Amino acid sequence: MVELTQEQIQKLKELGRSQKEKLLKMGEDFKEEVKKYKAAIYTCNATSCHSGGAASVIDAFKESLETMGLSQDVRMVCTGCMGLCATGPLARVEIKGREPFLYKEVTPDLARIIVSEHVAPALREGPDQPLRLSNYLKSKELSLQLPFFTKQRKIVLARLGHSDPENLGEYVATGGYQALMKCLEMKPEEVLDIIRKSGLRGRGGAGFPTARKWEMLAQAPLCDGEKFMVCNGDEGDPGAYMDSCILGGGAHAVLEGMMIGAYATGATSGWFYVRAEYPLAIERVELAIKQAKKYGILGKNIFGSDFSFMADLRYGAGAFVCGEETALLESLEGKRGTPHPRPPYPTQKGLFGKPTAINNVETLANVPPIILKGPEWFSEVGTATSKGTKVFALTGKVKHSGLVEVPMGTTVECMVNEIGGGTSSGKPFKAVQTGGPSGGVIPASHLDMPICYEELKKLGSMMGSGGMIVMDQDDSMVEIAKFYLNFTVDESCGKCAPCRIGGYQMLQLVKKIADGEGTQSDLKKIQEIGTAMKQAALCGLGQTAPNPVLSTIRFFYDEYESLIQQAQQKKAEKQKLQAEMSSLENEMKKLDERKPDSTVHSAACSGQCKKV
Amino acid sequence: MAENESQEKIKEDTQKLLTKWKNKRGALIMALHDIQGLFGYVPWEAMEVTAKEMGVPMARIYAVLTFYNYFKLKAPGKVIISVCDGTACHIKGAQGLLDAFYNCLGLKDGQTTEDGLFHLQVVRCLGCCGLAPVIVVNGKTYGKNTPADVQKIIAEWREKMAETQGV
């Protein structure tokens, strides 16, 4: 590296200070700009709503605002995820002096009607006149008083659905990068102290205290002048899309969290590792890095301080195991994503052999609000050991399927019946699955369980990244276990025998039971293999792969039992038939031996025929 | 399309594209992403150029390509059908959709029709679980599908391809 002279450093610092001013001004300008508008239409353009046709809805809104001459009065905002994905595309109308109004299942036609029959008259008549909406428009209202909205507590998702993720000015206007500015005026230890006091734990699943991970990195010496921060956005759990939405709804918050971590730990650069299947998240991270470079948020002597930092983006390529931190590092180095034993921990020897801290997307997104509002504000939310909130992708057979953020300690009952609105089929609720292929089921009998790291572990599941799949009475638990096991066997990297062989053998046994050919000893063998894998597998994927099977055996033993009993009955019937067959054959043989006397033969034959 | 491109053209294009990555650390996977983005798969010739330009043995490139689900070593069909079999889609009937595709096109996961028109792949979670079960065809998303929708989707794309490419 080229050493800079004192003079050059001073110049860089001056530049940094002016860039800070410019950035804050951008925020102020944005606030001024927004004041000009009388109303705003927020349209969700996250993955789900986008797939449902949000782009053409946005065009329809713009076009009809244009034709009605309202473009100057109404601000059009394409936002991140609004939450209730099952009823998308969603659009919210906010008119000054009136309550916000949320529309569901918006089509281009509905968008035009919203502008002509809701927005235009409301603006014309002023806020004092009551709104007269047609029955059709009323039928498309999604009440903001639904428990789905009122029971949530948004920290990480606060900006999603309320702001344009591509607008840096808007991010700054709502407090963006001010946590970083605040940190740069503190000592790194003070920053670590705030995170420690907040009780923030890793949101990727295992719940490792973030402050402790950062302390380990802070203590590790620089290696060839480098230390890294890595953001784990390899959300491989099928049925979970929180990280995708958090990044898609505003990657600046995650970048800011990463930079605060880097300042606290002395890291020199950062890497985002994002699934290739998430094009929107990738686009937003790319944009955030580009904007940050342009406005001097990334670079040397940031905001006139001694802190310098750069960030880069790498894609995953469809390997579930790469969510495991040591495998992720291999993949970041451009290799096959196979895990390796710890220690050495990544904080000692990580990316390119240099100290590295790997944090989940949601963990990093929690950091800026903690810095701005204080650790006490954060630790007031949640349970004694699990602080803050958790984002879940509530999916499966639930009425209000979508992205939700709730305080830790919220009960399963509240998640499924209040926020989720019960099962979509109306049939009795059977279980929820959390933690994806590494987690387990929570049966209906545990509905009162508060959701936090410890309670989930006690039940043989885990928090995981936040997938929560609701199942009703029609879903076979053996089938679900088979599904997940199939997945982990497919995704096993093959490096260690317990996972490679154990997983495969377990799957064969589960398939055997599901196909109605299992025995009690198969069930015992499954449990033995599962226990061995948990203890002997190299990485988290292998250690947790038996969880879906073991937990369904624990809570839905009767389903396995009844399949085995059916198999036994089937076997007994088969044996009985075989016995009958062989006795018949014997008799036939005997008769054949007496063949010369044909009259006896035919008589015996007709007798047998009757018997059969 | 890709398969008709001459080997020389593939080599040339790969070379151009690698200038962005060859001096960056650990950029092999990113380079392969770009190659697949350009050709729709990773052709053998592109692998050879990558090995030479980035100083990585062919064996390692092949090891990486076969480890990750995302990479394809053969040119897929013109219409790529991705059926999501993430958990939410699975419990909402993804298997029924796969069966329907099998019945209509005779395709299983990873297969291409003989005429090279349709390619079927099973993917895990596209991040729009609210629309489960989800099918994506050449970037267009179809949500809340039933097996009956499968026929409609196939017919729609057959027509579309006949119009644009005369297939």
Side-chain angles (χ1 to χ4, degrees), chain A residues 434-452:
Chain A
T434 64
S438 304
V441 289
I442 307 169
S445 56
H446 287 68
L447 268 176
D448 57 349
M449 193 202 81
I451 298 164
C452 61

Side-chain angles (χ1 to χ4, degrees), chain A residues 66-124:
Chain A
E66 188 81 30
T67 45
M68 301 201 70
L70 293 172
S71 300
Q72 302 299 314
D73 298 327
V74 183
R75 186 175 164 241
M76 267 304 297
V77 192
C78 304
T79 73
C81 185
M82 288 188 177
L84 226 168
C85 308
T87 55
L90 301 171
R92 198 177 61 253
V93 176
E94 283 185 15
I95 297 166
K96 274 183 192 165
R98 290 180 189 271
E99 289 292 312
F101 200 96
L102 183 62
Y103 284 103
K104 62 181 176 182
E105 292 154 2
V106 184
T107 56
D109 281 339
L110 178 58
R112 284 185 272 270
I113 300 174
I114 292 171
V115 173
S116 60
E117 293 182 15
H118 179 164
V119 181
L123 288 177
R124 204 166 45 230

Side-chain angles (χ1 to χ4, degrees), chain A residues 48 51 86 226 238-239 275 314-318 331-337 395-397 470 480 483-484 487 491, chain B residues 25-26 28-30 33 60 63 67-70 85-88 90-92 124-125 127-131 141 144:
Chain A
S48 197
S51 303
E226 285 185 309
R275 275 185 87 192
R314 291 285 183 269
Y315 311 159
S331 184
L332 264 180
E333 292 178 12
K335 300 177 193 158
R336 284 165 76 96
T395 63
K397 292 185 180 165
V470 178
I480 291 295
F483 168 78
Y484 278 118
F487 180 84
E491 292 294 332
Chain B
R25 286 189 283 192
L28 176 62
I29 293 176
M30 295 303 281
H33 267 297
R60 228 194 88 200
F67 182 85
Y68 296 98
N69 292 327
Y70 201 81
D85 195 20
T87 319
H90 184 79
I91 70 167
K92 287 201 152 183
R124 261 94 180 237
C125 203
C128 37
C129 309
L131 300 175
T141 309
K144 300 180 183 171

Side-chain angles (χ1 to χ4, degrees), chain A residues 54 102 108 112 140 156 159 163 187 233 241 260 265 328 370 386 434 448 477 502 511 516 519 532 539 542 572 574 582:
Chain A
L102 183 62
R112 284 185 272 270
K140 291 291 175 188
V156 173
R159 282 192 182 87
S163 66
K187 287 193 187 116
Y241 57 101
I260 291 169
T265 57
L328 186 149
I370 292 175
S386 302
T434 64
D448 57 349
M477 289 298 129
K511 273 185 180 164
T519 62
C539 78
K574 202 173 158 190
S582 65

Side-chain angles (χ1 to χ4, degrees), chain B residues 85-138:
Chain B
D85 195 20
T87 319
C89 290
H90 184 79
I91 70 167
K92 287 201 152 183
Q95 190 56 48
L97 304 181
L98 286 170
D99 292 343
F101 276 112
Y102 182 73
N103 290 336
C104 293
L105 296 172
L107 293 183
K108 283 186 182 173
D109 181 20
Q111 294 180 337
T112 308
T113 48
E114 267 178 34
D115 59 5
L117 187 59
F118 291 105
H119 177 85
L120 182 78
Q121 58 186 23
V122 178
V123 295
R124 261 94 180 237
C125 203
L126 295 156
C128 37
C129 309
L131 300 175
V134 177
I135 297 170
V136 176
V137 183
N138 281 10

Side-chain angles (χ1 to χ4, degrees), chain A residues 232 234-237 273 275-277 315-324 327-328 331 335-338 487 490-493 541, chain B residues 29 64 66-71 124:
Chain A
N232 184 349
D234 190 50
E235 186 174 48
D237 172 1
Y273 184 86
R275 275 185 87 192
E277 291 88 340
Y315 311 159
F320 178 62
V321 69
C322 289
E324 198 278 340
L328 186 149
S331 184
K335 300 177 193 158
R336 284 165 76 96
T338 50
F487 180 84
D490 203 29
E491 292 294 332
S492 169
C493 77
L541 183 143
Chain B
I29 293 176
V64 166
T66 49
F67 182 85
Y68 296 98
N69 292 327
Y70 201 81
F71 295 120
R124 261 94 180 237

